């Protein structure tokens, strides 16, 4: 809270060099902007729980995580050691999502779950139970059964969670489209869950590497995000995605810019919850080091500090962003882009042709503009430099507002206020950068 207040005070007195250089005009002074209570927090979690010590869970909290998926690698469900870990989470202020299994292990996991007589509602840290990781289409009926059992036992005290495949796993849809697969989960599972306690999650990792070692962006990424976002909006569910954090298989290593970029691309589609895949270095082969070590307590890797910096920025304005509802995303082809098309843009089913608050927009490189409204009718925009951060491209974005005299720009968590001259505003986005903007008449 204290850092957020400091950031807001700084907004009136510190010039933002990149924006000023882009010719946005003078800073706006003594003009009202919407004020939002600091009572909302972005869900940011970790997959692969740390070593089972109080200090290791405190380290996770200090990275800016709000929850942890808790598997039974180090501690087994139903044991005192497991209860101790739930206590550690409570002490440091972390929520937990208990994880059962996937398509290969779920039946044995469900049996052990049925045999586990622990009442997890007695543990304040437990916020949800992840019943299934990456179900096939035909598994959704079984998740619906587990959900009915869950609701009878816990009601809405503990939420139901499951994580779906990405749109590239076509064989798991068993003859259906990705939209039908996601829709089946929404209609068969989330319909059984009380509104306000629904989550719609998927994993997709966008940053690949070619055989030459060069970075390659997966062309199906935005279609996957859009599908989850639209289906979540249909039933007022919280949309959640896993962030690519750990180098594994063909997915490349990431930098601080890559992490920041993923957040803003997802947020341009209204995504409201995230999990680092992975937090702890995986015990599986072909996984590189992640945020913390799997064997040495308290040992951090560089990714930990990258994530901590980005998480802090997100938390500095999450209470503002979370007051807005997403209403679509407009892709903008760059005037200086090497190609006159973008396969990710082409994959969108319902891209916006225009943004309600704008007469037009241009960008030197490809960009995304997410459109938002708060309950009072104020406009919000997420503007993202949609270029792979590995290629180091900056992006000048020009916005022509319909009727705005000033704009508040949240950049790296800090709010800066500017006058808008003749409804025209320009900003320069650095590598992997995005901003959240609130224009005011």
């Amino acid at each position: 809270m204290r850092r957020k207040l400091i950031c807001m005070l700084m907004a009136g007195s510190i010039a933002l060099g990149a924006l000023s250089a882009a010719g946005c005009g003078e800073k706006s002074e003594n003009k009202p902007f919407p004020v939002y209570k600091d009572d909302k927090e972005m869900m940011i979690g970790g997959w692969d729980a740390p070593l089972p010590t109080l200090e290791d869970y405190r380290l996770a909290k200090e990275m800016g995580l709000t929850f942890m998926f808790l598997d039974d690698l180090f501690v087994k469900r139903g044991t005192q050691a497991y209860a101790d870990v739930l206590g550690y989470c409570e002490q440091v202020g972390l929520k937990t999502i208990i994880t059962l299994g996937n398509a290969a292990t779920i039946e044995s996991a469900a049996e052990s779950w049925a045999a586990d007589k622990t009442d997890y509602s007695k543990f304040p840290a437990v916020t949800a139970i992840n019943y299934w990781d990456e179900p096939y289409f035909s598994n959704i009926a079984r998740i619906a059964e587990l959900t009915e059992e869950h609701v009878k036992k816990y009601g809405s005290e503990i939420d139901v969670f499951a994580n779906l495949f990405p749109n590239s796993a076509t064989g798991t849809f068993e003859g259906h489209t990705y939209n039908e697969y996601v829709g089946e989960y929404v209609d068969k599972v989330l319909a059984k869950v009380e509104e306000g306690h629904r989550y719609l999650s998927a994993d997709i990792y966008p940053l690949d590497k070619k055989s030459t070692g060069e970075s390659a962006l997966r062309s199906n990424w935005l279609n996957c995000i859009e599908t989850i976002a639209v289906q979540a909006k249909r039933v007022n569910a919280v949309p959640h995605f896993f962030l690519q954090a750990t180098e594994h298989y063909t997915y490349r290593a990431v930098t601080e810019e890559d992490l920041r970029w993923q957040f803003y691309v997802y947020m341009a589609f209204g995504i409201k919850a995230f999990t680092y895949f992975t937090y702890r270095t995986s015990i599986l082969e072909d996984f590189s080091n992640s945020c913390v070590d799997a064997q040495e307590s308290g040992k951090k890797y560089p990714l930990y500090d990258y994530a901590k910096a980005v998480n802090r920025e997100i938390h500095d304005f999450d209470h503002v962003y979370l007051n807005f509802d997403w209403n679509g995303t407009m892709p903008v082809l760059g005037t200086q882009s090497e190609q006159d098309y973008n396969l990710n843009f082409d994959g969108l089913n319902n891209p916006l042709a225009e943004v309600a608050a704008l007469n037009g927009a241009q960008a030197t490189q490809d960009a995304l503009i997410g459109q938002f409204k708060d309950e009072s009718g104020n406009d919000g925009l997420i503007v993202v430099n949609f270029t792979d951060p590995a290629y180091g491209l900056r992006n000048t974005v020009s916005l022509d507002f319909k009727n705005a005299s000033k704009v508040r720009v949240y950049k790296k968590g800090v709010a800066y206020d500017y006058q808008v001259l003749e409804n025209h505003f320009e900003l320069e986005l650095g590598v992997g950068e995005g901003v959240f903007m609130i224009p005011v008449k």
Side-chain angles (χ1 to χ4, degrees):
M1 165 69 84
R2 184 172 182 272
R3 187 175 188 274
K4 290 182 180 179
L5 291 174
I6 291 172
C7 290
M8 291 300 297
L9 291 171
M10 290 169 62
S13 58
I14 297 179
L16 183 59
L19 287 174
S20 297
C24 347
E26 299 178 357
K27 282 287 187 69
S28 175
E29 297 180 358
N30 302 318
K31 292 185 178 181
F33 282 92
V35 176
Y36 303 94
K37 291 182 180 179
D38 191 1
D39 59 355
K40 295 178 173 61
E41 185 176 49
M42 190 82 81
M43 291 179 62
I44 304 177
W47 183 271
D48 282 343
L51 292 169
T53 73
L54 177 61
E55 289 307 313
D56 283 288
Y57 276 88
R58 180 173 286 118
L59 196 66
K61 179 65 176 180
E62 290 172 352
M63 196 184 85
L65 299 188
T66 65
F67 73 96
M68 183 70 68
F69 280 94
L70 182 58
D71 52 40
D72 60 355
L73 175 65
F74 296 126
V75 290
K76 302 300 180 184
R77 271 187 297 104
T79 65
Q80 183 58 48
Y82 199 90
D84 289 343
V85 167
L86 294 177
Y88 299 155
C89 290
E90 183 183 356
Q91 286 185 62
V92 303
L94 277 176
K95 294 296 185 181
T96 58
I97 297 179
I98 295 174
T99 297
L100 297 190
N102 54 32
T105 66
I106 189 61
E107 289 309 324
S108 61
E111 288 177 11
S112 67
W113 178 248
D116 184 357
K117 302 305 181 184
T118 307
D119 181 358
Y120 286 101
S121 67
K122 303 299 183 184
F123 295 89
V126 177
T127 190
I129 296 167
N130 180 25
Y131 280 96
W132 212 300
D133 184 43
E134 298 183 330
Y136 284 57
F137 187 97
S138 56
N139 297 141
I140 292 173
R142 180 70 176 113
I143 302 174
E145 294 173 355
L146 292 168
T147 299
E148 288 182 352
E149 295 170 10
H150 175 101
V151 171
K152 288 178 182 178
K153 183 175 182 179
Y154 290 117
S156 59
E157 288 185 88
I158 298 177
D159 295 332
V160 171
F161 197 96
N163 178 59
L164 304 182
F165 273 109
N167 56 355
S168 56
T170 53
T172 68
F173 312 149
E174 300 173 327
H176 297 272
T177 67
Y178 188 60
N179 192 56
E180 290 169 344
Y181 165 72
V182 177
E184 179 77 356
Y185 180 79
V186 170
D187 294 336
K188 296 293 176 62
V189 177
L190 294 189
K192 299 179 184 298
V193 177
E194 182 181 328
E195 188 170 341
H197 296 271
R198 297 169 180 163
Y199 295 90
L200 186 58
S201 172
D203 53 34
I204 183 169
Y205 305 117
L207 297 168
D208 217 336
K209 53 188 174 185
K210 302 176 184 177
S211 58
T212 59
E214 293 179 292
S215 182
L217 181 61
R218 295 213 163 193
S219 60
N220 61 316
W221 187 28
L222 295 190
N223 173 271
C224 186
I225 303 173
E226 179 193 42
T227 303
I228 294 294
V230 170
Q231 289 281 5
K233 188 175 178 65
R234 181 163 67 88
V235 294
N236 195 28
V238 173
H240 166 277
F241 271 95
F242 284 83
L243 298 164
Q244 179 179 336
T246 306
E247 182 180 12
H248 65 289
Y249 308 146
T250 64
Y251 304 111
R252 69 168 175 82
V254 299
T255 63
E256 181 178 317
E257 288 77 14
D258 294 322
L259 292 178
R260 181 177 294 109
W261 186 60
Q262 289 180 74
F263 267 105
Y264 276 96
V265 171
Y266 284 120
M267 290 166 66
F269 288 85
I271 306 306
K272 296 181 177 180
F274 304 88
T275 295
Y276 284 89
F277 184 82
T278 60
Y279 171 69
R280 168 187 41 82
T281 298
S282 176
I283 62 170
L284 300 175
E285 294 182 0
D286 298 322
F287 276 68
S288 296
N289 292 328
S290 191
C291 299
V292 299
D293 196 61
Q295 297 180 321
E296 185 178 338
S297 177
K299 183 176 181 180
K300 300 182 295 183
Y301 292 104
L303 186 64
Y304 177 96
D305 292 317
Y306 301 159
K308 184 176 182 178
V310 176
N311 292 344
R312 184 182 64 243
E313 295 170 11
I314 297 298
H315 284 313
D316 280 343
F317 78 102
D318 54 3
H319 64 294
V320 178
Y321 169 80
L322 292 173
N323 270 285
F324 285 77
D325 292 322
W326 173 71
N327 291 311
T329 305
M330 183 175 76
V332 180
L333 285 170
T335 59
Q336 298 176 16
S337 298
E338 290 186 0
Q339 299 172 318
D340 59 0
Y341 65 92
N342 185 309
L343 292 178
N344 262 290
F345 292 174
D346 293 343
L348 291 172
N349 290 315
N350 295 290
L352 293 179
E354 59 183 24
V355 173
L358 301 175
N359 280 322
Q362 281 192 330
T364 54
Q365 302 293 334
D366 293 351
L368 291 170
I369 302 177
Q371 174 178 266
F372 298 79
K373 284 272 191 186
D374 72 5
E375 62 180 9
S376 298
N378 295 302
D379 291 304
L381 304 174
I382 288 275
V383 185
V384 192
N385 176 2
F386 192 71
T387 59
D388 185 338
Y391 294 97
L393 297 174
R394 303 182 69 82
N395 197 345
T396 301
V397 181
S398 301
L399 304 175
D400 290 310
F401 289 101
K402 288 183 177 177
N403 189 6
S405 63
K406 50 194 175 290
V407 63
R408 175 163 287 170
V409 179
Y410 290 89
K411 186 169 185 178
K412 293 187 176 179
V414 181
Y416 301 92
D417 297 344
Y418 294 94
Q419 292 179 350
V420 175
L421 304 179
E422 297 180 348
N423 284 315
H424 183 75
F425 190 80
E426 290 188 359
L427 68 157
E428 183 173 313
L429 297 174
V431 177
E433 280 190 346
V435 297
F436 184 57
M437 307 173 64
I438 302 175
V440 177
K441 296 179 182 179

